Amino acid sequence: MARPNFLVIVADDLGFSDCGCFGSEIQTPNIDALAREQNALRFTNFHVAAACSPTRSMLMTGTDHHIAGLGELAEFTRSSVAHQGQPGHEGYLNERVVALPELLKEGGYHTMMAGKWHLGLKPQHYPIHRGFNKSFALLPGCANHYGYEPQYKDQDHADRFFETATRALHVEGSQIADLPKDFYSSDAYASKLIEYLSEREADDEKKPFFAYLPFSAPHWPLQAPKEVADKYRGMYQNGPQVLKSERIERLKKLGLVDQDVVSHPIVRVGEQESQQWEDLPQETRDSSARAMEVYAGMVDRMDWNIGRVVNYLRETGEYDNTMIIFMSDNGAEGASYEAQPIMGDKVAAHIAKYYNNSLDNIGRGDSFVWYGALWAQAATAPSRLFKMHSTEGGCRVPLVVKPPKGSAVANARITKAYCTVMDIVPTFLEMAGLKHPGTHYKGREIASLRGKSWHSYLKSLDSAESAKKRCTDEEFDIHDDTYVTGFEIAGSGALRQGHWKLVFVPAPRGPQEWELFHMKSDPGETKNLRYAEPSKFAALMRLWEEYKAEVGSIGVAGEFPEAVQGQQASLNDEFADPYSWIKFIGRPNLVPSHLEHIRPVMDPTVVAEPPTTYPSAVDTKRSANRQLPAASPSPPFRSPSSVHAALKIATVLLKRLKHPFFIPPHQIHLASDILVQSARYLGACCVIPSWSGLEAGRFASGPLSSTLAPAPPSGSIVESNKLCSVLFLLKTKVNVNHPAASEAAINPSR
């Protein structure tokens, strides 16, 4: 029999009960139809990370996101000094993992994607470098769904929170994409995927395909075609508490939750959330209900586009042999950033200045709204909380699996089997007749799989004889009761083994201490058994510490300095923080004069790609003896401010000397030019030394060096000290008050 095709569809921030087949009032006929197919499954115990890019990294690699490079959202890491520079927190899919499309492509599959990537901004991290033959990718974590951008009066100083949440920065292949005037994200992604499918060459048509359709809907800003949102006019006028009750009743009726389930109560924080719906001003209720109507419109439109892709496969005769998965990347998004302390007033002021959130305009391209914690908890009920929390509300999401058509036929069903997003890679590889390379891939060490294939489980569902071999407790049909899963996002942690779960919810949504729950009897996480079951609590805490050390989690809230997304915690330097590049990438003409040194980097064509192989010890030694080219005569650095910028860049490079990062040669040469020019300006006779193997591609030191890269070449400490001398020279010549630079120059060992 021919190998199956694979179609993976991912919704962005979709709640557990936001589809019709999971109890929603929102119309999703195409997703519902997949769930009704013969042999199809709805999973009620499927788990992901509590945030989008961490989940997507696990989906691509079959291992933990702290290993794959997305230990946290890059948007969080850039605001957290504790996470910056730590292995596994690079902010992109790193070289410690191999991606599913890489393996499928090498195994004879034609690979394509259209939608949200969120696994790296730089050209060397684009999807085409991780196994995709064709790709149309949204690079940031979210963007305006219509491609609208405010015309800032000061382009360089757009609010730090919004610089990662506004521009619809897409690449097609290796090129920055120009979006059409009628762009709408969900429509564009489905159209592009159909285009890739329909334009396959003759040789590619003979191959099975892997198609990845990750939507950016229904992530905020909430925007949908008006006529679609208007279908839900008046449907949410009774508020989120009523919606929550209605959803739970439908979940019970569908058999998706137990009849006696105890739902976690809605957690309310702040004055506005604490008010009852009936006590809110009419204007507030109208705006809130309209936001929910638009959210419903986004889900509705996403489903319509899923139908377009599925119908195409039916027309070409490829549908029956295609494994289709539909899932969400995390629980519903409950953040209301304008209500948060510290940054809330700034966010609200920015929205008021640049957007039109009048009632009639909510959902249009020039509006910017989210729906908040109360609506989100209606969507995740009966579970606790929502996205960014390692509770069931943040990590348990809807999953529909439509297997390829086989000889045996069974009715569609619901399963309670516990499983995770890390299981998808081993499942697809086994179905494709391929094997994961284990711990080595193309000359480098990689992480092994942490998930388990569902292939035998899926086969057992259509066989009465095989069914007898399954576990007596349905929840352990895939993973047995000894299997351990760890979770941690932004300081909210959890650990699951069997029916038991440790949970840590930071304040103000939780007690900021570890709790213990029995998930079979209490899926809503309402009865803390920590003190009733001290031995079980202690055993799971030991497993948590093992997990934390094994994957490289920084820890839970209180174990590191507080980080507020949108606040600056890193160097104010585009060389150090790629996420502040978003407004400039592909637009070098917008780079202001005082950031002249980053202008070349904003042109993706000049940034080097990562090497396909890594150097041997001999190659590394040869590289260490090479001198960099002489400094180019431009750009000139003839002022203290430009030397200040050079110092910050050098500080970043010094930091990277101590971590296993890949640094493109172009950036090394650019930085060396900057340092030489700065030193010459200061009247110093300074020659930048060779960079000890960095040009060869990788450099590592510390405990991870034995598994991640060749050993540091001879003399590397000397070279680091020479760079420190340059830093010290610059600091003594110019009055630069930068603590990080000072510490790096004075104490290189730190």
Side-chain angles (χ1 to χ4, degrees):
M1 184 177 177
R3 293 192 293 174
N5 305 308
F6 301 109
L7 170 60
V8 177
I9 306 168
V10 180
D12 198 354
D13 294 0
L14 187 80
F16 183 77
S17 64
D18 277 336
C19 297
C21 57
F22 277 83
S24 183
E25 73 292 337
I26 301 173
Q27 297 175 28
T28 55
N30 295 290
I31 298 170
D32 301 348
L34 292 175
R36 290 193 302 267
E37 284 282 7
Q38 292 179 336
N39 299 329
L41 290 157
R42 277 174 286 172
F43 284 75
T44 63
N45 213 354
F46 175 66
H47 289 74
V48 297
C52 32
S53 58
T55 290
R56 292 160 195 258
S57 72
M58 297 197 297
L59 170 62
M60 286 288 108
T61 66
T63 193
D64 191 278
H65 60 96
H66 296 91
I67 295 172
L70 282 302
E72 305 290 347
L73 290 170
E75 295 86 346
F76 176 86
T77 299
R78 71 197 293 258
S79 298
S80 174
V81 293
H83 294 83
Q84 290 166 15
Q86 297 302 316
H89 295 75
E90 295 87 351
Y92 56 83
L93 209 59
N94 63 27
E95 294 297 319
R96 298 167 69 188
V97 293
V98 59
L100 174 63
E102 294 177 277
L103 298 176
L104 290 176
K105 180 180 178 181
E106 292 168 3
Y109 274 73
H110 184 64
T111 58
M112 65 198 84
M113 75 157 283
K116 174 176 166 178
W117 179 236
H118 203 193
L119 297 176
L121 281 175
K122 296 182 182 181
Q124 59 265 31
H125 306 140
Y126 290 174
I128 58 167
H129 296 305
R130 299 315 296 245
F132 284 101
N133 296 107
K134 298 282 188 179
S135 66
F136 176 72
L138 172 67
L139 295 183
C142 64
N144 190 289
H145 293 277
Y146 286 100
Y148 168 82
E149 284 186 75
Q151 297 302 304
Y152 297 120
K153 294 180 180 179
D154 186 352
Q155 177 68 39
D156 180 38
H157 292 95
D159 182 89
R160 187 173 174 83
F161 174 82
F162 286 92
E163 69 185 0
T164 65
T166 301
R167 184 183 176 193
L169 175 61
H170 288 76
V171 293
E172 184 161 18
S174 61
Q175 302 298 315
I176 303 297
D178 292 325
L179 304 181
K181 290 183 179 180
D182 62 348
F183 176 85
Y184 179 69
S185 64
S186 296
D187 296 0
Y189 302 151
S191 294
K192 183 60 69 171
L193 190 64
I194 292 171
E195 175 187 315
Y196 289 156
L197 287 164
S198 64
E199 294 182 356
R200 283 171 286 175
E201 301 288 342
D203 288 344
D204 292 330
E205 284 188 327
K206 297 176 184 177
K207 301 176 182 177
F209 67 77
F210 170 72
Y212 181 39
L213 182 58
F215 289 97
S216 59
H219 195 297
W220 53 260
L222 303 183
Q223 296 165 333
K226 185 176 184 300
E227 66 276 12
V228 184
D230 284 350
K231 291 167 60 176
Y232 300 91
R233 180 78 70 175
M235 195 170 290
Y236 303 106
Q237 61 185 357
N238 293 325
Q241 183 66 60
V242 171
L243 179 64
K244 176 188 176 184
S245 299
E246 293 172 347
R247 292 273 186 98
I248 291 175
E249 288 306 309
R250 283 194 291 268
L251 287 168
K252 292 178 180 179
K253 184 176 180 179
L254 291 170
L256 294 163
V257 299
D258 293 338
Q259 295 298 312
D260 59 352
V261 67
V262 177
S263 174
H264 197 283
I266 289 179
V267 178
R268 300 172 183 267
V269 173
E271 181 179 352
Q272 182 165 320
E273 287 183 18
S274 298
Q275 296 183 63
Q276 295 301 310
W277 180 258
E278 297 78 12
D279 298 331
L280 292 171
Q282 186 63 48
E283 180 181 357
T284 301
R285 282 183 282 165
D286 289 345
S287 296
S288 181
R290 184 56 179 169
M292 184 63 209
E293 292 167 6
V294 174
Y295 178 91
M298 295 178 78
V299 177
D300 186 306
R301 188 70 168 195
M302 177 185 67
D303 177 84
W304 177 76
N305 279 293
I306 291 171
R308 293 173 59 209
V309 174
V310 169
N311 288 337
Y312 175 84
L313 296 179
R314 291 184 185 278
E315 291 169 2
T316 60
E318 296 172 290
Y319 175 80
D320 285 348
N321 194 38
T322 300
M323 170 85 154
I324 301 178
I325 284 181
F326 171 81
M327 57 174 280
S328 179
D329 60 354
N330 45 249
E333 166 67 283
S336 296
Y337 292 99
E338 80 285 0
Q340 292 188 359
I342 304 176
M343 64 177 289
D345 290 344
K346 188 176 181 181
V347 168
H350 185 95
I351 292 174
K353 182 176 181 179
Y354 290 109
Y355 294 92
N356 175 9
N357 283 351
S358 62
L359 182 61
D360 291 340
N361 201 61
I362 290 175
R364 307 286 65 73
D366 61 343
S367 67
F368 202 110
V369 301
W370 30 65
Y371 68 2
L374 306 187
W375 293 112
Q377 290 176 85
T380 61
S383 298
R384 179 187 187 188
L385 292 173
F386 42 81
K387 177 182 177 180
M388 301 303 290
H389 299 89
S390 295
T391 57
E392 292 297 279
C395 298
R396 186 178 73 140
V397 298
L399 172 67
V400 175
V401 174
K402 195 283 292 182
K405 191 173 183 178
S407 56
V409 175
N411 293 328
R413 67 182 71 191
I414 295 166
T415 176
K416 296 179 180 180
Y418 177 84
C419 55
T420 82
V421 67
M422 294 184 288
D423 299 334
I424 292 175
V425 168
T427 300
F428 282 16
L429 290 177
E430 184 174 0
M431 294 178 71
L434 302 172
K435 291 186 177 181
H436 190 272
T439 58
H440 289 82
Y441 178 73
K442 293 188 174 180
R444 70 179 193 268
E445 292 198 28
I446 60 169
S448 58
L449 292 171
R450 298 175 75 91
K452 180 180 178 180
S453 173
W454 303 334
H455 187 49
S456 60
Y457 170 69
L458 295 176
K459 289 173 62 178
S460 75
L461 296 176
D462 54 28
S463 168
E465 190 63 31
S466 297
K468 296 178 182 178
K469 301 177 183 178
R470 298 206 305 272
C471 187
T472 54
D473 188 331
E474 183 184 3
E475 293 194 24
F476 304 134
D477 277 348
I478 295 174
H479 295 283
D480 65 28
D481 61 357
T482 66
Y483 182 72
V484 174
T485 316
F487 304 85
E488 185 274 315
I489 289 291
S492 177
L495 183 129
R496 177 81 175 256
Q497 186 184 45
H499 291 310
W500 292 96
K501 183 180 180 183
L502 281 176
V503 179
F504 185 99
V505 180
R509 299 280 177 189
Q512 191 138 331
E513 67 176 19
W514 286 102
E515 301 171 282
L516 177 67
F517 301 100
H518 190 272
M519 302 311 299
K520 190 175 184 67
S521 60
D522 183 25
E525 298 173 18
T526 63
K527 299 175 182 177
N528 181 13
L529 301 177
R530 171 177 178 171
Y531 302 104
E533 298 282 350
S535 59
K536 176 58 69 173
F537 177 78
L540 292 187
M541 283 302 303
R542 287 193 293 271
L543 291 175
W544 164 259
E545 292 299 332
E546 292 175 8
Y547 165 79
K548 177 182 169 183
E550 186 176 326
V551 303
S553 169
I554 304 303
V556 295
E559 296 178 347
F560 57 84
E562 182 180 6
V564 179
Q565 187 173 330
Q567 280 197 309
Q568 181 175 327
S570 61
L571 297 176
N572 184 22
D573 184 347
E574 276 71 2
F575 194 84
D577 180 9
Y579 271 74
S580 61
W581 296 1
I582 292 174
K583 55 187 175 292
F584 298 140
I585 292 176
R587 299 170 173 176
N589 58 303
L590 295 181
V591 178
S593 58
H594 76 279
L595 294 176
E596 183 76 23
H597 59 282
I598 69 158
R599 188 184 300 272
V601 188
M602 294 305 99
D603 180 358
T605 62
V606 303
V607 179
E609 298 177 5
T612 54
T613 59
Y614 291 95
S616 65
V618 174
D619 294 332
T620 303
K621 185 174 181 180
R622 288 172 180 167
S623 178
N625 294 326
R626 291 177 53 223
Q627 294 290 325
L628 289 173
S632 61
S634 62
F637 292 87
R638 298 175 180 172
S639 69
S641 63
S642 57
V643 176
H644 188 174
L647 177 58
K648 289 186 290 184
I649 291 175
T651 304
V652 173
L653 282 174
L654 178 66
K655 183 178 181 181
R656 291 187 177 187
L657 277 168
K658 296 182 176 296
H659 293 286
F661 286 117
F662 166 75
I663 305 179
H666 166 80
Q667 292 185 1
I668 297 170
H669 291 187
L670 175 65
S672 68
D673 279 0
I674 291 170
L675 288 171
V676 170
Q677 293 286 352
S678 301
R680 287 175 179 171
Y681 161 71
L682 296 170
C685 296
C686 175
V687 178
I688 302 300
S690 64
W691 287 64
S692 307
L694 273 175
E695 290 181 88
R698 284 177 77 85
F699 183 99
S701 62
L704 294 172
S705 60
S706 62
T707 58
L708 291 178
S714 175
S716 61
I717 301 301
V718 174
E719 302 302 336
S720 295
N721 289 336
K722 287 181 180 179
L723 179 56
C724 289
S725 298
V726 176
L727 285 166
F728 185 76
L729 169 68
L730 293 173
K731 178 173 173 54
T732 56
K733 293 288 186 178
V734 183
N735 181 22
V736 177
N737 296 315
H738 197 295
S742 302
E743 182 176 357
I746 295 169
N747 187 359
S749 66
R750 297 180 65 183

